[in-house]
Amino acid sequence: MSAQILDGKAIAADLREHIKRRVDELRAAGQRPPGLIVVLVGDDAASQVYVRNKQKACEHVGFHSELLRLPAATSQDELLALIDDLNLREDVDGILVQLPLPRHIDEDAVTERILPTKDVDGFHPYNIGRLVLRRPILRPCTPKGVMTMLTQTGIDLVGKDAVIIGQSNIVGRPMFLELLMARCTVTVCHSKTRDLADKLRGADIIVAAVGVPRFVKAEWVKPGAIVIDVGINRLDDGSLCGDVDTAAVTAVASWITPVPGGVGPMTVATLLENTLLAAELHAASDD
Ligand code: NAP
C-alpha cells in the first residue's frame, strides 16, 4: 500500500478562496473587511516566519491586518495595556499574540486578557471550555485544521480509534476534544505513557504532535491507518521534517500529511476562518 497524500497546501488554498469570496461579499454589502492584529514580542526567528505567513494570508483574502512588533524588553503590563486597547477597537475582530513570549511575560495572563470574542487562536479558557462542552465558537486553529483535513478523506470518523501523541494546550488537548466530538474513541499519549507502540498499533487515526523528528516508526502503524503529522522540526541542514518517519510510514498508512505542506498551511487558513467568524459574530451583535 502507498498512502494517499492529504495535501494541506491545496486544501488551505481552497479554504482561502472560499474566505476571499465571503470578504468580497461583505465589501459589496458595504461592510468593513475583517480585521486581524498580530502582535510579535521580540525577534524569535521561527515566530518571524509564522507571522509573515499569517500577514500574507490576510492580505490574500482581503482582511485588514496589522503587525505590531514590540521589543523583547516590553513589560507584561505594557503588553496587557496594548491588548486592552485592541479589545476596545471596533475595527479589530481578531487579536493574535504570537507565542512563545519572552520569559518575563506570563503567557496565561496574556491569553486570558484577550476578549474571548476576539481570541482567534481559540486559546482563551472560555473558548476551550466551550469546546469541552461541545458548543465551540472559536476553536484552536491547528486541531480544527486537522479536522478539516480529515473530512477531506471522505472517511466516516464515527467509532474510529484515534491516538494522539502529545498533550499540549495548543495541540494535543484540543485535538482530543475535536476527535471526541467527532465520536472517535481517543487515547492521548505523552512522555510518561507506557507501551506507546502498542497503543499506536491499534489506532485507525494517529495524530503526532511530539516535536521529535521522525518519531513515529512504520512498525508502530496499523496498515491502512490515517497519519496526521503536526510536527515541525528544523534539522541541522536547515530543512524541515515532521514527527513521522514519512518515507517508511507512507508504505503502511492509507492517508498521510506531508511536512512541509500538510498541517502547517491548514493552521494559517483556519486562523483566517476564525477571524471571519469573529467578524461575522461582531457584525451580528452590532445589529
Ligand atoms: P509541546 O508543548 O512541546 O508538547 C510535546 C508533547 O509531546 C508533550 O505532551 C510531551 O509529553 C510529548 N512527548 C515528548 N516526547 C515524547 C515521547 N518520547 N513519547 C511520547 N510523548 C512525548 O509541543 P506542541 O506545542 O504541542 O508542538 C508539537 C509539535 O507540533 C512541534 O514540532 C511543533 O513545532 C509542532 N506544531 C505545529 C503546528 C502546525 O501548525 N503545524 C502548530 C503547533 C505546533 P509531556 O507532556 O509528558 O512532556
Side-chain angles (χ1 to χ4, degrees), residues 150-190:
L150 287 173
T151 305
Q152 292 286 318
T153 64
I155 293 170
D156 183 8
L157 301 181
V158 175
K160 293 281 188 290
D161 290 319
V163 176
I164 301 163
I165 321 170
Q167 56 141 357
S168 70
N169 287 347
I170 61 169
V171 185
R173 283 166 189 258
M175 192 73 249
F176 162 74
L177 295 167
E178 290 282 358
L179 287 165
L180 188 61
M181 200 162 57
R183 310 293 285 133
C184 293
T185 303
V186 194
T187 303
V188 183
C189 302
H190 47 77

Side-chain angles (χ1 to χ4, degrees), residues 142 166-168 170-171 190-191 209-211 215 230-233 263-264 267:
T142 300
Q167 56 141 357
S168 70
I170 61 169
V171 185
H190 47 77
S191 65
V210 199
F215 179 79
V230 178
I232 303 177
N233 306 292
V263 176
T267 297

Side-chain angles (χ1 to χ4, degrees), residues 128-274:
I128 296 291
R130 292 205 64 116
L131 185 59
V132 172
L133 298 172
R134 293 178 274 184
R135 287 185 279 133
I137 302 178
L138 295 171
R139 296 148 70 168
C141 299
T142 300
K144 187 183 176 199
V146 169
M147 296 313 291
T148 306
M149 295 178 101
L150 287 173
T151 305
Q152 292 286 318
T153 64
I155 293 170
D156 183 8
L157 301 181
V158 175
K160 293 281 188 290
D161 290 319
V163 176
I164 301 163
I165 321 170
Q167 56 141 357
S168 70
N169 287 347
I170 61 169
V171 185
R173 283 166 189 258
M175 192 73 249
F176 162 74
L177 295 167
E178 290 282 358
L179 287 165
L180 188 61
M181 200 162 57
R183 310 293 285 133
C184 293
T185 303
V186 194
T187 303
V188 183
C189 302
H190 47 77
S191 65
K192 302 290 183 267
T193 296
R194 285 180 293 171
D195 304 324
L196 177 75
D198 284 347
K199 291 183 171 60
L200 288 177
R201 281 190 197 105
D204 303 307
I205 300 167
I206 294 174
V207 180
V210 199
V212 178
R214 303 188 183 110
F215 179 79
V216 176
K217 309 291 179 244
E219 53 274 26
W220 301 350
V221 177
K222 179 163 96 174
I226 303 172
V227 179
I228 306 290
D229 191 351
V230 178
I232 303 177
N233 306 292
R234 175 102 30 212
L235 301 178
D236 290 343
D237 65 2
S239 64
L240 290 182
C241 91
D243 290 347
V244 174
D245 183 357
T246 311
V249 171
T250 297
V252 185
S254 60
W255 289 90
I256 192 165
T257 61
V259 177
V263 176
M266 289 305 296
T267 297
V268 179
T270 307
L271 171 70
L272 302 177
E273 205 180 18
N274 275 353

